[in-house]
Amino acid sequence: MMQYRQFVTIASQFSNTLTGVAVDPHGQLYASGDSEIRSFDAAGHIAQRWQTSRPVLCVAVASDGAVYAGEERQIEIFDRAGKLLHTWRGPKLAGRITTIGFTGDSVLAGDTWDRAIQRFDRAGKFLNTIGKDNPVNGLLIPNGVVDFAVARNGEIHAANPGKHRVERYAPTGELLGHIGRFDGNDPAGFTGCCNPTNVAVGAALYTAEKGAPRVKAYDFQGALLAVIASGGFDPNSKNMDIAAASNGRVFVADPVQRAIFGFEPAKS
């Protein structure tokens, strides 16, 4: 199996909450917490910071550099300098917006009230819902978070922790497949009542778990590539957000320690 090493620990310096991490197309790291967005330089020092109007639950950066903040019943959109450009609200943003992503000309928002992913155009017009066409009318999220990531081909990989799997969707909503299974012993499986909690997509498919917090890498057919880390996190941490950079690095937010851990493939 592949080996990873931890190369950095960043103290987010949020007072109360660390809710999300994101990496922009240039490798800049962003984090959300309290009612603020922060970006960090290569050494892990705060480069920029600005306020949001409500406690922020996730952060994402579009290809044009716009920074999206998911909040309770709304999304705020900022430019690179932190100037507020738009605020989206509406009936399809009815819950806590815990993940934001992008595919083609669309913006995707994970809405906990609907237990699904809402898809909008770049102007904020609602297009369709993803993840509700099943017998339970949504994703099973006992952890209270809808989390997903978008691959380069536009496919959406969504955590469905109540089913111990990651589901793969087309932007139009069709379920294309899934990986994962329950297993309390084999590290390739997912343990507990409801894992994985979080996912990211880069060179591989990355997952985070709670219970005994750990982060793993899979190939896109579901074969385990690596247990990236199973120590160093607070044992009570859950909903550890993950961001994958284009150079193979992976950043993980530990919400209890309010710290960001960076991992990279170890050189053989």
Side-chain angles (χ1 to χ4, degrees), residues 151-198:
R152 288 182 181 179
N153 64 2
E155 293 178 349
I156 300 151
H157 297 258
N160 198 339
K163 290 189 174 182
H164 297 96
R165 68 192 199 184
V166 179
E167 297 178 342
R168 182 167 51 91
Y169 290 92
T172 46
E174 293 85 0
L175 178 64
L176 303 176
H178 55 82
I179 68 160
R181 56 182 169 80
F182 172 79
D183 197 303
N185 298 306
D186 184 351
F190 297 114
T191 65
C193 72
C194 35
N195 276 311
T197 61
N198 296 75

mmCIF file of all heavy atoms in Angstrom, residues 151-198:
data_model
loop_
_atom_site.group_PDB
_atom_site.id
_atom_site.type_symbol
_atom_site.label_atom_id
_atom_site.label_comp_id
_atom_site.label_asym_id
_atom_site.label_seq_id
_atom_site.Cartn_x
_atom_site.Cartn_y
_atom_site.Cartn_z
ATOM 1 N N ALA A 151 -15.167 15.216 -9.155
ATOM 2 C CA ALA A 151 -14.000 14.764 -9.904
ATOM 3 C C ALA A 151 -13.802 15.622 -11.149
ATOM 4 O O ALA A 151 -14.678 16.398 -11.553
ATOM 5 C CB ALA A 151 -14.168 13.296 -10.288
ATOM 6 N N ARG A 152 -12.655 15.470 -11.780
ATOM 7 C CA ARG A 152 -12.338 16.268 -12.974
ATOM 8 C C ARG A 152 -13.331 16.035 -14.097
ATOM 9 O O ARG A 152 -13.583 16.916 -14.911
ATOM 10 C CB ARG A 152 -10.926 15.938 -13.452
ATOM 11 C CG ARG A 152 -9.825 16.477 -12.546
ATOM 12 C CD ARG A 152 -8.455 16.150 -13.123
ATOM 13 N NE ARG A 152 -7.385 16.642 -12.272
ATOM 14 C CZ ARG A 152 -6.097 16.465 -12.531
ATOM 15 N NH1 ARG A 152 -5.724 15.781 -13.611
ATOM 16 N NH2 ARG A 152 -5.184 16.945 -11.714
ATOM 17 N N ASN A 153 -13.901 14.821 -14.169
ATOM 18 C CA ASN A 153 -14.869 14.528 -15.225
ATOM 19 C C ASN A 153 -16.266 15.044 -14.906
ATOM 20 O O ASN A 153 -17.209 14.794 -15.658
ATOM 21 C CB ASN A 153 -14.901 13.031 -15.517
ATOM 22 C CG ASN A 153 -15.378 12.197 -14.323
ATOM 23 O OD1 ASN A 153 -15.724 12.743 -13.273
ATOM 24 N ND2 ASN A 153 -15.381 10.881 -14.479
ATOM 25 N N GLY A 154 -16.414 15.736 -13.784
ATOM 26 C CA GLY A 154 -17.699 16.309 -13.417
ATOM 27 C C GLY A 154 -18.576 15.418 -12.574
ATOM 28 O O GLY A 154 -19.628 15.861 -12.103
ATOM 29 N N GLU A 155 -18.165 14.173 -12.363
ATOM 30 C CA GLU A 155 -18.969 13.287 -11.535
ATOM 31 C C GLU A 155 -18.841 13.664 -10.063
ATOM 32 O O GLU A 155 -17.791 14.119 -9.609
ATOM 33 C CB GLU A 155 -18.562 11.831 -11.768
ATOM 34 C CG GLU A 155 -18.907 11.343 -13.165
ATOM 35 C CD GLU A 155 -18.478 9.922 -13.429
ATOM 36 O OE1 GLU A 155 -17.725 9.342 -12.618
ATOM 37 O OE2 GLU A 155 -18.905 9.365 -14.467
ATOM 38 N N ILE A 156 -19.918 13.444 -9.316
ATOM 39 C CA ILE A 156 -20.020 13.871 -7.928
ATOM 40 C C ILE A 156 -19.919 12.643 -7.030
ATOM 41 O O ILE A 156 -20.668 11.674 -7.188
ATOM 42 C CB ILE A 156 -21.358 14.588 -7.702
ATOM 43 C CG1 ILE A 156 -21.445 15.819 -8.617
ATOM 44 C CG2 ILE A 156 -21.536 14.994 -6.248
ATOM 45 C CD1 ILE A 156 -22.856 16.178 -9.005
ATOM 46 N N HIS A 157 -18.991 12.699 -6.077
ATOM 47 C CA HIS A 157 -18.795 11.609 -5.125
ATOM 48 C C HIS A 157 -19.323 12.080 -3.774
ATOM 49 O O HIS A 157 -18.761 12.989 -3.163
ATOM 50 C CB HIS A 157 -17.323 11.229 -5.040
ATOM 51 C CG HIS A 157 -16.770 10.707 -6.332
ATOM 52 N ND1 HIS A 157 -16.573 9.363 -6.580
ATOM 53 C CD2 HIS A 157 -16.399 11.351 -7.467
ATOM 54 C CE1 HIS A 157 -16.092 9.201 -7.794
ATOM 55 N NE2 HIS A 157 -15.967 10.391 -8.363
ATOM 56 N N ALA A 158 -20.406 11.474 -3.321
ATOM 57 C CA ALA A 158 -21.098 11.922 -2.112
ATOM 58 C C ALA A 158 -21.002 10.864 -1.020
ATOM 59 O O ALA A 158 -21.248 9.674 -1.259
ATOM 60 C CB ALA A 158 -22.563 12.207 -2.410
ATOM 61 N N ALA A 159 -20.658 11.307 0.199
ATOM 62 C CA ALA A 159 -20.660 10.396 1.337
ATOM 63 C C ALA A 159 -22.097 10.051 1.700
ATOM 64 O O ALA A 159 -22.950 10.931 1.817
ATOM 65 C CB ALA A 159 -19.960 11.051 2.526
ATOM 66 N N ASN A 160 -22.357 8.757 1.878
ATOM 67 C CA ASN A 160 -23.646 8.299 2.389
ATOM 68 C C ASN A 160 -23.345 7.432 3.611
ATOM 69 O O ASN A 160 -23.338 6.198 3.546
ATOM 70 C CB ASN A 160 -24.423 7.515 1.337
ATOM 71 C CG ASN A 160 -25.901 7.412 1.683
ATOM 72 O OD1 ASN A 160 -26.287 7.565 2.844
ATOM 73 N ND2 ASN A 160 -26.737 7.167 0.684
ATOM 74 N N PRO A 161 -23.043 8.082 4.748
ATOM 75 C CA PRO A 161 -22.499 7.348 5.898
ATOM 76 C C PRO A 161 -23.443 6.309 6.472
ATOM 77 O O PRO A 161 -22.991 5.287 6.997
ATOM 78 C CB PRO A 161 -22.184 8.455 6.903
ATOM 79 C CG PRO A 161 -23.006 9.626 6.486
ATOM 80 C CD PRO A 161 -23.110 9.535 4.996
ATOM 81 N N GLY A 162 -24.746 6.540 6.395
ATOM 82 C CA GLY A 162 -25.686 5.548 6.906
ATOM 83 C C GLY A 162 -25.675 4.256 6.118
ATOM 84 O O GLY A 162 -26.113 3.219 6.610
ATOM 85 N N LYS A 163 -25.143 4.304 4.893
ATOM 86 C CA LYS A 163 -25.026 3.100 4.063
ATOM 87 C C LYS A 163 -23.584 2.619 3.952
ATOM 88 O O LYS A 163 -23.301 1.688 3.182
ATOM 89 C CB LYS A 163 -25.598 3.368 2.665
ATOM 90 C CG LYS A 163 -27.104 3.526 2.635
ATOM 91 C CD LYS A 163 -27.629 3.570 1.205
ATOM 92 C CE LYS A 163 -29.151 3.583 1.168
ATOM 93 N NZ LYS A 163 -29.680 3.588 -0.224
ATOM 94 N N HIS A 164 -22.662 3.263 4.673
ATOM 95 C CA HIS A 164 -21.243 2.885 4.661
ATOM 96 C C HIS A 164 -20.673 2.883 3.254
ATOM 97 O O HIS A 164 -19.980 1.939 2.847
ATOM 98 C CB HIS A 164 -21.040 1.498 5.310
ATOM 99 C CG HIS A 164 -21.429 1.462 6.744
ATOM 100 N ND1 HIS A 164 -22.667 1.028 7.161
ATOM 101 C CD2 HIS A 164 -20.757 1.820 7.864
ATOM 102 C CE1 HIS A 164 -22.731 1.104 8.483
ATOM 103 N NE2 HIS A 164 -21.595 1.584 8.940
ATOM 104 N N ARG A 165 -20.934 3.970 2.528
ATOM 105 C CA ARG A 165 -20.423 3.993 1.174
ATOM 106 C C ARG A 165 -20.304 5.418 0.638
ATOM 107 O O ARG A 165 -20.827 6.368 1.226
ATOM 108 C CB ARG A 165 -21.307 3.161 0.251
ATOM 109 C CG ARG A 165 -22.702 3.700 -0.007
ATOM 110 C CD ARG A 165 -23.556 2.644 -0.692
ATOM 111 N NE ARG A 165 -24.725 3.199 -1.363
ATOM 112 C CZ ARG A 165 -25.667 2.483 -1.974
ATOM 113 N NH1 ARG A 165 -25.561 1.152 -1.980
ATOM 114 N NH2 ARG A 165 -26.688 3.052 -2.578
ATOM 115 N N VAL A 166 -19.607 5.531 -0.477
ATOM 116 C CA VAL A 166 -19.512 6.771 -1.243
ATOM 117 C C VAL A 166 -20.235 6.533 -2.554
ATOM 118 O O VAL A 166 -19.918 5.581 -3.289
ATOM 119 C CB VAL A 166 -18.044 7.172 -1.502
ATOM 120 C CG1 VAL A 166 -17.981 8.451 -2.332
ATOM 121 C CG2 VAL A 166 -17.288 7.352 -0.192
ATOM 122 N N GLU A 167 -21.211 7.384 -2.846
ATOM 123 C CA GLU A 167 -22.020 7.223 -4.054
ATOM 124 C C GLU A 167 -21.552 8.192 -5.134
ATOM 125 O O GLU A 167 -21.145 9.319 -4.837
ATOM 126 C CB GLU A 167 -23.494 7.453 -3.719
ATOM 127 C CG GLU A 167 -24.012 6.418 -2.727
ATOM 128 C CD GLU A 167 -25.446 6.618 -2.303
ATOM 129 O OE1 GLU A 167 -25.970 7.740 -2.489
ATOM 130 O OE2 GLU A 167 -26.040 5.655 -1.791
ATOM 131 N N ARG A 168 -21.665 7.756 -6.369
ATOM 132 C CA ARG A 168 -21.199 8.543 -7.516
ATOM 133 C C ARG A 168 -22.406 8.934 -8.372
ATOM 134 O O ARG A 168 -23.181 8.071 -8.788
ATOM 135 C CB ARG A 168 -20.192 7.719 -8.316
ATOM 136 C CG ARG A 168 -19.588 8.419 -9.514
ATOM 137 C CD ARG A 168 -18.380 7.615 -10.031
ATOM 138 N NE ARG A 168 -18.710 6.217 -10.247
ATOM 139 C CZ ARG A 168 -19.153 5.725 -11.403
ATOM 140 N NH1 ARG A 168 -19.335 6.515 -12.456
ATOM 141 N NH2 ARG A 168 -19.425 4.430 -11.508
ATOM 142 N N TYR A 169 -22.536 10.251 -8.607
ATOM 143 C CA TYR A 169 -23.691 10.783 -9.326
ATOM 144 C C TYR A 169 -23.263 11.599 -10.539
ATOM 145 O O TYR A 169 -22.204 12.243 -10.536
ATOM 146 C CB TYR A 169 -24.510 11.708 -8.416
ATOM 147 C CG TYR A 169 -25.242 11.007 -7.305
ATOM 148 C CD1 TYR A 169 -24.660 10.849 -6.053
ATOM 149 C CD2 TYR A 169 -26.525 10.506 -7.495
ATOM 150 C CE1 TYR A 169 -25.334 10.205 -5.019
ATOM 151 C CE2 TYR A 169 -27.201 9.862 -6.473
ATOM 152 C CZ TYR A 169 -26.600 9.723 -5.239
ATOM 153 O OH TYR A 169 -27.271 9.087 -4.224
ATOM 154 N N ALA A 170 -24.138 11.607 -11.547
ATOM 155 C CA ALA A 170 -24.027 12.582 -12.624
ATOM 156 C C ALA A 170 -24.599 13.908 -12.141
ATOM 157 O O ALA A 170 -25.459 13.932 -11.251
ATOM 158 C CB ALA A 170 -24.800 12.101 -13.853
ATOM 159 N N PRO A 171 -24.164 15.038 -12.716
ATOM 160 C CA PRO A 171 -24.726 16.322 -12.299
ATOM 161 C C PRO A 171 -26.236 16.410 -12.461
ATOM 162 O O PRO A 171 -26.900 17.154 -11.725
ATOM 163 C CB PRO A 171 -24.004 17.327 -13.211
ATOM 164 C CG PRO A 171 -22.726 16.663 -13.575
ATOM 165 C CD PRO A 171 -23.057 15.200 -13.678
ATOM 166 N N THR A 172 -26.786 15.655 -13.375
ATOM 167 C CA THR A 172 -28.235 15.661 -13.583
ATOM 168 C C THR A 172 -28.981 14.797 -12.573
ATOM 169 O O THR A 172 -30.211 14.763 -12.583
ATOM 170 C CB THR A 172 -28.556 15.192 -15.004
ATOM 171 O OG1 THR A 172 -27.786 14.019 -15.298
ATOM 172 C CG2 THR A 172 -28.219 16.276 -16.016
ATOM 173 N N GLY A 173 -28.249 14.090 -11.706
ATOM 174 C CA GLY A 173 -28.873 13.376 -10.606
ATOM 175 C C GLY A 173 -28.853 11.871 -10.669
ATOM 176 O O GLY A 173 -29.214 11.215 -9.687
ATOM 177 N N GLU A 174 -28.461 11.283 -11.791
ATOM 178 C CA GLU A 174 -28.474 9.828 -11.897
ATOM 179 C C GLU A 174 -27.377 9.207 -11.019
ATOM 180 O O GLU A 174 -26.232 9.667 -11.020
ATOM 181 C CB GLU A 174 -28.253 9.380 -13.346
ATOM 182 C CG GLU A 174 -29.374 9.739 -14.291
ATOM 183 C CD GLU A 174 -29.265 11.142 -14.848
ATOM 184 O OE1 GLU A 174 -28.300 11.862 -14.500
ATOM 185 O OE2 GLU A 174 -30.157 11.538 -15.632
ATOM 186 N N LEU A 175 -27.731 8.163 -10.291
ATOM 187 C CA LEU A 175 -26.761 7.399 -9.523
ATOM 188 C C LEU A 175 -25.975 6.513 -10.484
ATOM 189 O O LEU A 175 -26.540 5.673 -11.179
ATOM 190 C CB LEU A 175 -27.468 6.542 -8.465
ATOM 191 C CG LEU A 175 -26.564 5.641 -7.615
ATOM 192 C CD1 LEU A 175 -25.608 6.465 -6.764
ATOM 193 C CD2 LEU A 175 -27.416 4.714 -6.736
ATOM 194 N N LEU A 176 -24.652 6.693 -10.506
ATOM 195 C CA LEU A 176 -23.799 5.977 -11.453
ATOM 196 C C LEU A 176 -23.114 4.763 -10.834
ATOM 197 O O LEU A 176 -22.658 3.873 -11.551
ATOM 198 C CB LEU A 176 -22.732 6.925 -12.014
ATOM 199 C CG LEU A 176 -23.256 8.179 -12.705
ATOM 200 C CD1 LEU A 176 -22.096 9.077 -13.117
ATOM 201 C CD2 LEU A 176 -24.106 7.814 -13.916
ATOM 202 N N GLY A 177 -23.037 4.730 -9.519
ATOM 203 C CA GLY A 177 -22.362 3.623 -8.854
ATOM 204 C C GLY A 177 -21.986 4.014 -7.436
ATOM 205 O O GLY A 177 -22.282 5.122 -6.979
ATOM 206 N N HIS A 178 -21.319 3.106 -6.746
ATOM 207 C CA HIS A 178 -20.890 3.407 -5.391
ATOM 208 C C HIS A 178 -19.768 2.469 -4.995
ATOM 209 O O HIS A 178 -19.588 1.388 -5.586
ATOM 210 C CB HIS A 178 -22.049 3.295 -4.394
ATOM 211 C CG HIS A 178 -22.759 1.982 -4.408
ATOM 212 N ND1 HIS A 178 -22.295 0.870 -3.731
ATOM 213 C CD2 HIS A 178 -23.896 1.596 -5.028
ATOM 214 C CE1 HIS A 178 -23.123 -0.134 -3.933
ATOM 215 N NE2 HIS A 178 -24.111 0.270 -4.709
ATOM 216 N N ILE A 179 -18.983 2.871 -3.988
ATOM 217 C CA ILE A 179 -17.970 2.024 -3.404
ATOM 218 C C ILE A 179 -18.174 2.009 -1.891
ATOM 219 O O ILE A 179 -18.806 2.911 -1.331
ATOM 220 C CB ILE A 179 -16.544 2.500 -3.724
ATOM 221 C CG1 ILE A 179 -16.250 3.840 -3.026
ATOM 222 C CG2 ILE A 179 -16.330 2.613 -5.227
ATOM 223 C CD1 ILE A 179 -14.778 4.142 -2.896
ATOM 224 N N GLY A 180 -17.627 0.983 -1.235
ATOM 225 C CA GLY A 180 -17.651 0.939 0.218
ATOM 226 C C GLY A 180 -18.560 -0.146 0.750
ATOM 227 O O GLY A 180 -19.510 -0.573 0.097
ATOM 228 N N ARG A 181 -18.244 -0.546 1.979
ATOM 229 C CA ARG A 181 -19.017 -1.581 2.663
ATOM 230 C C ARG A 181 -18.725 -1.459 4.155
ATOM 231 O O ARG A 181 -17.723 -0.880 4.563
ATOM 232 C CB ARG A 181 -18.617 -2.977 2.170
ATOM 233 C CG ARG A 181 -17.136 -3.251 2.328
ATOM 234 C CD ARG A 181 -16.735 -4.611 1.786
ATOM 235 N NE ARG A 181 -15.295 -4.760 1.707
ATOM 236 C CZ ARG A 181 -14.485 -5.066 2.721
ATOM 237 N NH1 ARG A 181 -15.011 -5.261 3.937
ATOM 238 N NH2 ARG A 181 -13.193 -5.191 2.557
ATOM 239 N N PHE A 182 -19.608 -2.027 4.969
ATOM 240 C CA PHE A 182 -19.353 -2.068 6.402
ATOM 241 C C PHE A 182 -18.357 -3.179 6.708
ATOM 242 O O PHE A 182 -18.480 -4.305 6.219
ATOM 243 C CB PHE A 182 -20.643 -2.333 7.183
ATOM 244 C CG PHE A 182 -20.389 -2.573 8.643
ATOM 245 C CD1 PHE A 182 -20.149 -1.511 9.503
ATOM 246 C CD2 PHE A 182 -20.356 -3.868 9.141
ATOM 247 C CE1 PHE A 182 -19.888 -1.740 10.850
ATOM 248 C CE2 PHE A 182 -20.100 -4.102 10.489
ATOM 249 C CZ PHE A 182 -19.865 -3.032 11.339
ATOM 250 N N ASP A 183 -17.363 -2.849 7.542
ATOM 251 C CA ASP A 183 -16.444 -3.864 8.062
ATOM 252 C C ASP A 183 -15.742 -3.287 9.281
ATOM 253 O O ASP A 183 -15.104 -2.244 9.195
ATOM 254 C CB ASP A 183 -15.409 -4.279 7.019
ATOM 255 C CG ASP A 183 -14.724 -5.589 7.384
ATOM 256 O OD1 ASP A 183 -14.141 -5.667 8.486
ATOM 257 O OD2 ASP A 183 -14.770 -6.529 6.574
ATOM 258 N N GLY A 184 -15.878 -3.951 10.405
ATOM 259 C CA GLY A 184 -15.280 -3.465 11.638
ATOM 260 C C GLY A 184 -13.837 -3.852 11.828
ATOM 261 O O GLY A 184 -13.191 -3.375 12.772
ATOM 262 N N ASN A 185 -13.295 -4.690 10.943
ATOM 263 C CA ASN A 185 -11.924 -5.163 11.098
ATOM 264 C C ASN A 185 -11.036 -4.809 9.913
ATOM 265 O O ASN A 185 -9.928 -4.311 10.099
ATOM 266 C CB ASN A 185 -11.915 -6.686 11.315
ATOM 267 C CG ASN A 185 -12.647 -7.085 12.584
ATOM 268 O OD1 ASN A 185 -12.349 -6.581 13.667
ATOM 269 N ND2 ASN A 185 -13.604 -7.997 12.453
ATOM 270 N N ASP A 186 -11.484 -5.079 8.715
ATOM 271 C CA ASP A 186 -10.701 -4.792 7.517
ATOM 272 C C ASP A 186 -10.642 -3.278 7.308
ATOM 273 O O ASP A 186 -11.685 -2.627 7.180
ATOM 274 C CB ASP A 186 -11.356 -5.465 6.313
ATOM 275 C CG ASP A 186 -10.558 -5.311 5.028
ATOM 276 O OD1 ASP A 186 -9.571 -4.542 5.015
ATOM 277 O OD2 ASP A 186 -10.935 -5.949 4.035
ATOM 278 N N PRO A 187 -9.445 -2.669 7.237
ATOM 279 C CA PRO A 187 -9.368 -1.216 7.055
ATOM 280 C C PRO A 187 -9.944 -0.739 5.736
ATOM 281 O O PRO A 187 -10.236 0.451 5.592
ATOM 282 C CB PRO A 187 -7.869 -0.928 7.150
ATOM 283 C CG PRO A 187 -7.194 -2.224 6.866
ATOM 284 C CD PRO A 187 -8.104 -3.272 7.397
ATOM 285 N N ALA A 188 -10.147 -1.631 4.783
ATOM 286 C CA ALA A 188 -10.772 -1.229 3.527
ATOM 287 C C ALA A 188 -12.249 -0.909 3.699
ATOM 288 O O ALA A 188 -12.843 -0.222 2.871
ATOM 289 C CB ALA A 188 -10.606 -2.326 2.476
ATOM 290 N N GLY A 189 -12.852 -1.396 4.787
ATOM 291 C CA GLY A 189 -14.261 -1.130 5.039
ATOM 292 C C GLY A 189 -14.453 0.083 5.922
ATOM 293 O O GLY A 189 -13.497 0.713 6.387
ATOM 294 N N PHE A 190 -15.715 0.405 6.178
ATOM 295 C CA PHE A 190 -16.086 1.529 7.036
ATOM 296 C C PHE A 190 -16.759 0.987 8.291
ATOM 297 O O PHE A 190 -17.628 0.118 8.213
ATOM 298 C CB PHE A 190 -17.015 2.490 6.298
ATOM 299 C CG PHE A 190 -16.368 3.130 5.108
ATOM 300 C CD1 PHE A 190 -16.830 2.857 3.829
ATOM 301 C CD2 PHE A 190 -15.302 3.993 5.258
ATOM 302 C CE1 PHE A 190 -16.233 3.444 2.717
ATOM 303 C CE2 PHE A 190 -14.689 4.581 4.164
ATOM 304 C CZ PHE A 190 -15.156 4.309 2.882
ATOM 305 N N THR A 191 -16.350 1.515 9.441
ATOM 306 C CA THR A 191 -16.812 0.998 10.717
ATOM 307 C C THR A 191 -17.975 1.817 11.267
ATOM 308 O O THR A 191 -18.366 2.835 10.702
ATOM 309 C CB THR A 191 -15.659 1.007 11.738
ATOM 310 O OG1 THR A 191 -15.280 2.371 11.981
ATOM 311 C CG2 THR A 191 -14.468 0.250 11.223
ATOM 312 N N GLY A 192 -18.490 1.363 12.421
ATOM 313 C CA GLY A 192 -19.452 2.145 13.181
ATOM 314 C C GLY A 192 -20.815 2.229 12.526
ATOM 315 O O GLY A 192 -21.127 1.546 11.563
ATOM 316 N N CYS A 193 -21.618 3.141 13.061
ATOM 317 C CA CYS A 193 -22.988 3.280 12.568
ATOM 318 C C CYS A 193 -23.054 4.068 11.274
ATOM 319 O O CYS A 193 -23.998 3.940 10.514
ATOM 320 C CB CYS A 193 -23.853 3.985 13.613
ATOM 321 S SG CYS A 193 -23.486 5.759 13.772
ATOM 322 N N CYS A 194 -22.042 4.927 11.031
ATOM 323 C CA CYS A 194 -22.249 5.933 9.987
ATOM 324 C C CYS A 194 -20.914 6.553 9.544
ATOM 325 O O CYS A 194 -20.540 7.613 10.014
ATOM 326 C CB CYS A 194 -23.198 7.018 10.491
ATOM 327 S SG CYS A 194 -23.006 7.401 12.254
ATOM 328 N N ASN A 195 -20.266 5.844 8.658
ATOM 329 C CA ASN A 195 -19.023 6.292 8.031
ATOM 330 C C ASN A 195 -19.059 5.925 6.558
ATOM 331 O O ASN A 195 -19.736 4.975 6.180
ATOM 332 C CB ASN A 195 -17.809 5.614 8.702
ATOM 333 C CG ASN A 195 -17.361 6.325 9.967
ATOM 334 O OD1 ASN A 195 -17.182 7.537 9.973
ATOM 335 N ND2 ASN A 195 -17.192 5.556 11.043
ATOM 336 N N PRO A 196 -18.323 6.651 5.693
ATOM 337 C CA PRO A 196 -17.447 7.788 5.967
ATOM 338 C C PRO A 196 -18.242 9.079 6.150
ATOM 339 O O PRO A 196 -19.333 9.228 5.604
ATOM 340 C CB PRO A 196 -16.576 7.869 4.720
ATOM 341 C CG PRO A 196 -17.489 7.412 3.619
ATOM 342 C CD PRO A 196 -18.326 6.326 4.243
ATOM 343 N N THR A 197 -17.670 10.002 6.896
ATOM 344 C CA THR A 197 -18.345 11.277 7.124
ATOM 345 C C THR A 197 -18.041 12.295 6.040
ATOM 346 O O THR A 197 -18.882 13.141 5.732
ATOM 347 C CB THR A 197 -17.937 11.864 8.476
ATOM 348 O OG1 THR A 197 -16.513 12.093 8.482
ATOM 349 C CG2 THR A 197 -18.285 10.919 9.618
ATOM 350 N N ASN A 198 -16.830 12.236 5.469
ATOM 351 C CA ASN A 198 -16.375 13.269 4.526
ATOM 352 C C ASN A 198 -15.581 12.638 3.394
ATOM 353 O O ASN A 198 -14.962 11.581 3.569
ATOM 354 C CB ASN A 198 -15.495 14.306 5.240
ATOM 355 C CG ASN A 198 -16.244 15.074 6.300
ATOM 356 O OD1 ASN A 198 -16.519 14.543 7.375
ATOM 357 N ND2 ASN A 198 -16.596 16.313 6.002
#
